[in-house]
Amino acid sequence: MRQLGWCECAIPAREDRSPTWPEGLVGSISHSAGFCVAVVATNRHWDSIGIDIESDQRVEPDLWPSICLPEELQQITHEDVLTTKSRVTRLFSAKEAFFKWQYPDTLRMLDFQDVEVRLNADGSSFEALCLREHRDDSRRCNATGQQFLLEGQILSLVVTEYPKNASKAALVS
Ligand SMILES: CC(C)(COP(=O)(O)OP(=O)(O)OC[C@H]1O[C@@H](n2cnc3c(N)ncnc32)[C@H](O)[C@@H]1OP(=O)(O)O)[C@@H](O)C(=O)NCCC(=O)NCCS
């Protein structure tokens, strides 16, 4: 916030745990074992942000069926269990980042089975789609996200900006 010229202030959590950013800002927060990450931007150009950080290979096999759709698990399962653990953790992280990106605008609670994620082979991006039967409206139903592996941590980011020639004011009016 200081780097953006905003004076520092607390970021209270609402009843639903979502963070309350000061007027004019959008942002997202996430923690993992030993790491935390926060990203903030002015809402003049930036529309919404969702970030998530997870320790690589954190998601154990007993959780896979609850986090992955059957077709997702089929697509990412590898003969080497550690590779599959890493891919499921990436999928988990992508869904959390997508959830945080769409929630402030839609207040839509989503479960892991409500969202389908396609991990791109090179490990640097993913496509997320909110499945039709879980949409109450057409807002924020799909997004492309980026993923990074840093110091054993998987970082997932979904961020959208307003079209170049349109600021928030123009879009809201
Ligand atoms: C919000 C949620 C995704 C956070 O995930 P988590 O693994 O508990 O924790 P993380 O460290 O990644 O993120 C925590 C931060 O998320 C932010 N957050 C919490 N609820 C949020 C919401 N509804 N929308 C956006 N951000 C939210 C908060 O800033 C919180 O940090 P803080 O308490 O220090 O302010 C999780 O608690 C949740 O509500 N999950 C249910 C929905 C979901 O994940 N569905 C499956 C994916 S589609």
Side-chain angles (χ1 to χ4, degrees), residues 17-19 29-31 52 95-96 99-100 103 110 112:
R17 279 195 63 205
S18 62
I29 296 168
S30 183
H31 334 98
D52 184 74
K95 292 190 179 187
E96 300 259 284
F99 172 77
K100 292 179 192 175
Y103 186 87
L110 293 169
F112 289 98

Side-chain angles (χ1 to χ4, degrees), residues 11-14 16-21 27-32 35-37 49-54 58 91-92 94-104 107-115:
I11 308 295
R14 295 187 185 85
D16 61 13
R17 279 195 63 205
S18 62
T20 315
W21 299 101
S28 188
I29 296 168
S30 183
H31 334 98
S32 73
F35 290 81
C36 64
V37 60
I49 305 175
I51 200 161
D52 184 74
I53 187 169
E54 304 293 340
R58 179 174 89 75
L91 201 89
F92 173 87
K95 292 190 179 187
E96 300 259 284
F98 174 77
F99 172 77
K100 292 179 192 175
W101 167 80
Q102 61 86 39
Y103 186 87
L107 301 183
R108 187 192 289 142
M109 276 311 284
L110 293 169
D111 191 81
F112 289 98
Q113 303 290 317
D114 304 343
V115 176

Side-chain angles (χ1 to χ4, degrees), residues 22-115:
E23 184 59 35
L25 294 181
V26 290
S28 188
I29 296 168
S30 183
H31 334 98
S32 73
F35 290 81
C36 64
V37 60
V39 55
V40 183
T42 64
N43 67 5
R44 250 161 39 83
H45 298 298
W46 298 93
D47 160 49
S48 187
I49 305 175
I51 200 161
D52 184 74
I53 187 169
E54 304 293 340
S55 303
D56 193 10
Q57 297 176 355
R58 179 174 89 75
V59 181
E60 296 298 331
D62 59 329
L63 287 176
W64 297 357
S66 59
I67 288 167
C68 307
L69 297 161
E71 53 273 28
E72 288 173 329
L73 198 48
Q74 201 181 15
Q75 196 217 2
I76 61 178
T77 297
H78 187 278
E79 75 230 5
D80 169 44
V81 68
L82 290 181
T83 304
T84 309
K85 261 176 125 175
S86 189
R87 290 176 179 174
V88 173
T89 305
R90 284 180 49 208
L91 201 89
F92 173 87
S93 182
K95 292 190 179 187
E96 300 259 284
F98 174 77
F99 172 77
K100 292 179 192 175
W101 167 80
Q102 61 86 39
Y103 186 87
D105 186 27
T106 66
L107 301 183
R108 187 192 289 142
M109 276 311 284
L110 293 169
D111 191 81
F112 289 98
Q113 303 290 317
D114 304 343
V115 176

